[in-house]
Amino acid sequence: MAKTAESMTIGVLAKSAGVNVETIRFYQRKGLLPEPEKPYGGIRRYSVADVGRVKFVKSAQRLGFKLDEIGELLRLEDGTHCSDASRLAERKLKDVREKLADLARMERELSELVRACHARSGNVSCPLIASLQEGDPPAPIRRAK
């Protein structure tokens, strides 16, 4: 049987989009994917456009967009509102850069704590555990040159 524009069941849609059925239902509850009418005594049917919409959502998620932001992007999906889409992307880029800065800070602090753990000797308290108990990681350790 050849697929018509509206011939997919929710299972076929999910498989075609590379997600599970619950993801489709979740997107519908969040307003990211319209729920087709259910004919009396029948089953809902989805289109190839619905596959594209689910893939759009998944692609946006991979770029770090939250579902509410994806909803905004979907309202711009005709492609004629590039400046609006650009503003959303600029905000997301700013968020990503802030997260990267936080991760770099965390890496530095953890690196110092690991070094301090390896440098300790005797019955000295573990620097990592002590730092976590104090609630504030110590300042970077200064090494003799």
Side-chain angles (χ1 to χ4, degrees):
M1 174 174 134
K3 289 184 182 174
T4 61
E6 300 280 334
S7 69
M8 285 184 264
T9 63
I10 193 169
V12 173
L13 168 63
K15 186 174 183 177
S16 298
V19 299
N20 63 48
V21 170
E22 286 308 310
T23 301
I24 301 297
R25 291 187 179 124
F26 179 74
Y27 288 170
Q28 289 172 331
R29 285 191 303 273
K30 293 294 186 180
L32 300 173
L33 181 69
E35 186 174 24
E37 292 294 319
K38 182 177 180 182
Y40 182 76
I43 58 173
R44 289 181 175 87
R45 296 292 178 168
Y46 297 85
S47 70
V48 173
D50 293 319
V51 174
R53 192 167 179 104
V54 172
K55 287 182 175 183
F56 180 100
V57 172
K58 295 307 291 180
S59 293
Q61 284 181 309
R62 281 191 296 277
L63 288 175
F65 287 98
K66 296 176 185 165
L67 294 180
D68 60 330
E69 295 168 327
I70 295 170
E72 290 180 56
L73 288 169
L74 284 167
R75 286 186 282 285
L76 306 173
E77 76 177 325
D78 66 1
T80 61
H81 302 90
C82 194
S83 61
D84 294 333
S86 177
R87 277 191 291 281
L88 287 171
E90 287 168 1
R91 278 198 324 246
K92 182 52 58 186
L93 181 58
K94 181 179 179 270
D95 291 346
V96 167
R97 287 178 173 155
E98 288 171 0
K99 287 177 185 177
L100 284 170
D102 285 344
L103 286 170
R105 178 196 49 77
M106 291 166 53
E107 189 273 339
R108 285 189 306 273
E109 290 176 8
L110 281 169
S111 179
E112 290 297 325
L113 287 167
V114 166
R115 272 190 227 121
C117 284
H118 289 279
R120 75 177 187 88
S121 62
N123 285 339
V124 177
S125 177
C126 173
L128 173 62
I129 300 301
S131 170
L132 295 174
Q133 288 172 340
E134 293 168 7
D136 191 32
I141 299 168
R142 306 261 188 251
R143 284 180 288 287
K145 293 183 181 182

